[in-house]
Amino acid sequence: MFDILKARLKQKYRTLSYPKGPPPPLPARFAGRPVIGGRPCDTRCRRCADACPVGALQREEGQFPTLDTGKCLFCRECPGVCPTGAISFTREFRLAASSRERLTVTADSQGIPPVRHEIAATIFRRSLKLRQVSAGGCNACEADTNVLTTLAWDIGRFGIQFVASPRHADGLLITGPVTRNMQLALKKPTTRYRLRNS
């Protein structure tokens, strides 16, 4: 017993101070929030849109491209083919947004989009229960969500917890692309919830 307490005192405080303190160090190859229009753009060129493997870049003639970070793989093919360097990826890791529309980056985008949802913040405050569902991804997102519950990140200090059943959850955290086999399974809990609360 005393050995355990001694080891714990030696370890000291290990939870990150972020977001009140500095963010954790990022890998050298990390690609963060994209910036469009940092340099002049040949508005007739379509190299960036043609190079995007998932169609996240949209391009209309005479205008700067728009990039949907909700679809983007962050493969960085677009800045590699852009002849003027009008598209670049920063080190900014804050990519979340309070609505689907705010995930799209344009030449007019200013700063970081707001992520606070006022209604949700009022209802849940420091008690948000999430059910995480893997819908068919590569397991990278699941590994990251697991890290969020460790000593260093400790999302429990913000009142966020993962639960084992949708019945106990305030929301679903769906990771990976939704496969055909998972469509019905994802729709069933939400349908039951709507019927029960209508």
Side-chain angles (χ1 to χ4, degrees):
M1 175 71 175
F2 289 108
D3 290 339
I4 295 173
L5 291 174
K6 184 178 177 182
R8 185 64 191 91
L9 289 172
K10 188 176 180 181
Q11 290 172 350
K12 297 182 180 178
Y13 184 76
R14 288 194 171 187
T15 300
L16 293 175
S17 56
Y18 182 81
K20 293 183 178 179
L26 297 169
R29 296 184 61 189
F30 176 79
R33 185 172 175 79
V35 172
I36 295 175
R39 295 184 182 181
C41 175
D42 180 359
T43 54
R44 296 169 298 176
C45 173
R46 286 193 50 86
R47 292 184 189 178
C48 57
D50 293 339
C52 183
V54 292
L57 263 164
Q58 298 298 319
R59 187 63 189 267
E60 294 183 15
E61 190 172 347
Q63 297 181 1
F64 278 93
T66 61
L67 199 158
D68 185 347
T69 57
K71 294 180 180 179
C72 182
L73 298 174
F74 294 80
C75 66
R76 290 174 280 191
E77 287 292 322
C78 47
V81 299
C82 181
T84 62
I87 303 174
S88 61
F89 284 85
T90 66
R91 304 280 293 170
E92 178 55 66
F93 58 89
R94 290 172 291 179
L95 298 167
S98 57
S99 66
R100 182 68 181 84
E101 294 74 26
R102 292 182 184 272
L103 290 175
T104 301
V105 177
T106 67
D108 299 325
S109 296
Q110 299 290 328
I112 309 302
V115 296
R116 182 181 173 87
H117 193 286
E118 295 301 331
I119 297 175
T122 302
I123 294 173
F124 300 114
R125 294 190 179 268
R126 294 179 63 87
S127 178
L128 178 63
K129 312 298 182 187
L130 296 174
R131 168 63 172 145
Q132 189 271 327
V133 180
S134 175
C138 66
N139 205 39
C141 296
E142 291 76 15
D144 282 348
T145 53
N146 185 50
V147 168
L148 293 176
T149 62
T150 60
L151 276 175
W153 291 98
D154 188 21
I155 61 171
R157 63 195 162 116
F158 302 114
I160 304 171
Q161 295 178 335
F162 290 112
V163 293
S165 168
R167 293 176 182 271
H168 306 148
D170 299 311
L172 294 178
L173 174 62
I174 301 169
T175 55
V178 179
T179 59
R180 290 180 182 176
N181 291 337
M182 283 297 293
Q183 282 181 356
L184 182 60
L186 286 173
K187 288 178 180 178
K188 276 185 175 180
T190 54
T191 303
R192 282 200 296 267
Y193 179 82
R194 283 197 299 269
L195 290 173
R196 191 168 63 244
N197 292 274
S198 59

